Amino acid sequence: MEVDMSILETLQPSRFLSFAIPNPDPTLNPSLASPLIRIAVLDSPIQPSSPLIPSVAAMIVPKHRESDWIFTTESGHLQLLLSSPNIQRLILIGQEQQPIINGSSSSSIYRRWIDPDSLNNLEISLKPLVIALSPKIYFRNVNLEVPFLCYEDNIVCSLVLEKCIGNFVGEMLVEDVEIEVTDQSREFRRRLRFKRMPNLVQTEIRIVPNKVSCLDSVDIGSNSIEFSPDLGLLVHVYLVPMVASLALIGSCIEKHVESGLRPKALCLGVGGGALVGFLKTQLDFEVVGVEVDEEVLRVARKYFGLEDGDLVQVHVGDGMEFMDRLAHGDVVGNIVPQFDVIMVDLDSDDPRNGVSAPPIEFFRRDVLLAARSVLRESGIFVINVIPRSRSYYEKLIHEFREVFPELYEINVGNVENFVLIAAKALPCSSSSSDSENKFLTKLRLAISGAYMDSINRIGDASN
C-alpha cells in the first residue's frame, strides 16, 4: 500500500490508517522477525483543549499478539488511546500476520519476551519511520524524540482455545493464560473475551492442571496437560464484593433456611457462569440465570464448568424482558418469582462509550419496578457499575432511589468498579450473633470475609 505522507501532517480525530512495509532489518530483533511489518496510525477522538504541539508516541506490538483484537480492532485501538492520557497520535508497529495455509490453525502461544538491550536497538532502528509518521509541528522545537510506550498487562503466556460467533455478542474467544503473581507460585486462568470490547475480560476463572505433582512442569499449550475449572474461587475483581452484599440480608436468609427454604438468586448476564456456579456450589443457592446469547452458554458449558440441573436453570433471552415477564405473572418454567437477590453483570455493548456498566436501559423506572416486584420483602438488587462519569453514577443512584428506599455501595477499590445495592427495606435484624448465623459463617468462609465490612449506606441527598 502506498501512503500519501502529507495526510499525516495534521491530526484527524478517530483516524485509523493501517499499512504494511518491508521490515528494515528482520534479523535485528525476534519480536519483529517477519519480512513485513504492519503499521497502524491512530489519532485520538479527543481533541486537545488548546492548539499546542500534539503529543505523539509509538508502541511495539508484542510478538504473537499481532492478531489480538486489542491491536487489530477499532474498539481496541480506542481503548489503547484512552488508556494513554494526553496522547493525540499513537503509532503501532508489529509483525505482519501470516496467512493460514492448508487449513492450519492460526493459534500460537504467546510468551512474554523481555530483552531491554534488543528492545532499545529496535526502537533506534524504527526511529526514522516513527519521525516520518509524526506531524512535523511536533518537531518544531527541534525535538526529534518520540517516546515508545510499553504495552503491559499481567499475562505471562496465553493460548487461544476457540474462536466462535454468537448471534448477539458477535465474535468471541476463549483463552488459557498464565498470569504474573507476586510470590513464587504459578496461577492459571481461563478467560472469555468479546471482540466488540477486546480490552474487557467478560469472564475469568481459575483453572488447575490435572494429575500434576509439580507446577514447574506445567506448560500452557502442552497436549499432555489438561486443566479443570476451579468453581470454588472468584477471581474477577468485582464478583467477590457482589457476593459480599449478601451480608446485608444474612439474617433473613438464615431464617428462610431454618424454615426449610433454600435461598434463591436471579443472575442477569451469565457469561461463563462463574457467579452462577459459585452461588450454587459454595452458598447452596438455587440459581436462575439469563443470558442473551445461546452460543455464550455453549462456551460456558464446554470450557467454564457451567452445569444445568435441579439447582441451576439457565434461560436464553434478554434479562430485562425476562424479569418483566416474571413481574407480570407469566409462567416461565417452574420459577417462583420470589428471589433473595438479583445480581446484574451486564456491560454496555457500545464501545464508543468505553467500558461501562450497566446498560443505560437499567435507568428505566419500569425495569426497576419489575426488579422490586420479583424480590422477597427482604431481597436486594445488586449491580456491577462501571460509571462513565461521576454524573452518570449520581443519575443512576437518583433513579434507583425513586423505587428503592435503601441504597448501599461497595467501592471495589480498582478505580473503575462500584457495587450498587438496592433494598426494598432496612435489613432485618437478628437476635443471634454473627458467629451463630450459619449462613454468614458460610459466606465469610467462601470469600474470606472480603468486603463484608465495607458495605456503606448511601445517604439521602435531600438530608
Side-chain angles (χ1 to χ4, degrees):
M1 173 182 176
E2 190 170 329
V3 180
D4 180 1
M5 302 299 286
S6 64
I7 65 174
L8 300 177
E9 286 300 313
T10 58
L11 294 174
Q12 179 182 319
S14 300
R15 186 209 314 264
F16 166 56
L17 178 64
S18 177
F19 55 93
I21 63 171
N23 192 338
D25 190 349
T27 65
L28 184 62
N29 193 291
S31 65
L32 289 178
S34 65
L36 293 176
I37 58 176
R38 167 101 3 216
I39 309 294
V41 179
L42 320 173
D43 285 352
S44 173
I46 302 174
Q47 289 295 286
S49 56
S50 58
L52 300 176
I53 297 174
S55 191
V56 181
M59 179 183 291
I60 297 173
V61 178
K63 186 179 181 181
H64 291 316
R65 295 186 72 174
E66 298 87 1
S67 61
D68 193 310
W69 293 328
I70 293 172
F71 303 106
T72 60
T73 65
E74 183 178 349
S75 54
H77 296 154
L78 176 62
Q79 289 303 308
L80 284 174
L81 283 166
L82 295 178
S83 63
S84 306
N86 304 318
I87 298 295
Q88 277 83 55
R89 174 169 292 173
L90 181 62
I91 302 167
L92 289 178
I93 306 171
Q95 282 193 142
E96 174 73 329
Q97 298 180 46
Q98 298 301 310
I100 300 174
I101 301 175
N102 296 330
S104 62
S105 172
S106 61
S107 296
S108 57
I109 300 175
Y110 160 73
R111 301 187 192 281
R112 184 188 291 172
W113 176 85
I114 300 176
D115 183 340
D117 292 336
S118 295
L119 193 59
N120 183 61
N121 291 336
L122 178 61
E123 291 175 1
I124 292 173
S125 71
L126 293 172
K127 179 178 176 180
L129 171 64
V130 171
I131 290 175
L133 296 172
S134 304
K136 294 301 176 283
I137 190 175
Y138 178 75
F139 307 106
R140 188 171 63 185
N141 296 330
V142 198
N143 170 31
L144 294 181
E145 295 298 325
V146 176
F148 275 80
L149 306 180
C150 180
Y151 181 78
E152 295 180 346
D153 58 18
N154 64 348
I155 296 180
V156 176
C157 64
S158 64
L159 174 68
V160 174
L161 302 180
E162 182 179 339
K163 286 186 178 182
C164 54
I165 300 175
N167 289 332
F168 183 83
V169 305
E171 292 184 64
M172 69 187 100
L173 64 80
V174 180
E175 62 184 354
D176 281 353
V177 302
E178 180 178 355
I179 65 168
E180 189 174 41
V181 291
T182 55
D183 55 26
Q184 297 300 312
S185 62
R186 299 180 70 185
E187 183 76 9
F188 303 96
R189 305 280 177 84
R190 183 162 292 164
R191 291 175 168 178
L192 173 65
R193 293 166 53 208
F194 297 162
K195 184 177 182 179
R196 70 184 188 197
M197 295 293 286
N199 305 70
L200 180 66
V201 177
Q202 299 289 335
T203 296
E204 182 170 13
I205 64 170
R206 185 184 187 189
I207 53 175
V208 292
N210 298 334
K211 301 177 181 178
V212 173
S213 58
C214 178
L215 288 180
D216 290 342
S217 63
V218 176
D219 184 22
I220 281 183
S222 170
N223 293 328
S224 62
I225 296 178
E226 295 183 352
F227 292 87
S228 296
D230 179 0
L231 302 182
L233 181 70
L234 294 173
V235 297
H236 229 146
V237 64
Y238 60 85
L239 290 184
V240 171
M242 287 184 74
V243 172
S245 67
L246 294 170
L248 272 177
I249 57 172
S251 297
C252 302
I253 291 178
E254 179 69 5
K255 290 177 181 178
H256 296 153
V257 172
E258 289 175 349
S259 65
L261 296 175
R262 187 182 294 274
K264 293 177 61 177
L266 173 61
C267 294
L268 305 184
V270 173
L275 181 59
V276 170
F278 188 87
L279 291 173
K280 174 203 167 187
T281 61
Q282 304 304 305
L283 297 176
D284 295 323
F285 265 73
E286 178 182 340
V287 187
V288 176
V290 185
E291 171 58 51
V292 72
D293 199 311
E294 191 166 9
E295 183 68 0
V296 172
L297 293 179
R298 181 195 68 80
V299 166
R301 294 183 180 107
K302 181 176 180 180
Y303 294 103
F304 292 87
L306 177 66
E307 294 182 349
D308 305 65
D310 293 339
L311 298 182
V312 175
Q313 295 184 47
V314 180
H315 298 261
V316 178
D318 179 271
M320 288 177 286
E321 293 179 2
F322 186 90
M323 197 163 54
D324 185 68
R325 289 174 59 196
L326 291 178
H328 286 86
D330 289 358
V331 178
V332 182
N334 59 349
I335 298 172
V336 178
Q338 287 290 302
F339 296 99
D340 294 283
V341 62
I342 301 171
M343 293 190 172
V344 179
D345 183 15
L346 297 169
D347 59 81
S348 169
D349 59 5
D350 187 351
R352 293 172 298 178
N353 296 326
V355 179
S356 64
I360 197 169
E361 290 80 7
F362 268 86
F363 288 163
R364 295 198 331 245
R365 183 178 178 86
D366 63 306
V367 174
L368 301 181
L369 287 171
R372 180 186 172 103
S373 70
V374 301
L375 285 169
R376 298 185 193 272
E377 283 305 308
S378 58
I380 54 176
F381 190 23
V382 181
I383 301 181
N384 171 44
V385 181
I386 307 176
R388 302 172 193 172
S389 63
R390 183 64 196 179
S391 61
Y392 178 96
Y393 189 46
E394 290 173 352
K395 176 176 172 59
L396 184 63
I397 290 172
H398 173 76
E399 296 297 333
F400 270 67
R401 197 180 293 283
E402 293 293 311
V403 176
F404 291 91
E406 292 294 318
L407 295 182
Y408 303 81
E409 71 176 356
I410 300 176
N411 187 340
V412 176
N414 65 342
V415 181
E416 291 182 346
N417 297 76
F418 294 85
V419 172
L420 182 62
I421 309 160
K424 296 172 69 171
L426 284 169
C428 56
S429 59
S430 172
S431 57
S432 62
S433 67
D434 285 358
S435 62
E436 297 172 336
N437 186 312
K438 294 180 181 178
F439 175 77
L440 284 177
T441 300
K442 183 184 297 184
L443 176 62
R444 192 171 292 277
L445 286 172
I447 60 175
S448 301
Y451 296 99
M452 289 178 63
D453 300 319
S454 303
I455 305 172
N456 299 308
R457 186 173 183 270
I458 302 176
D460 191 334
S462 62
N463 292 335

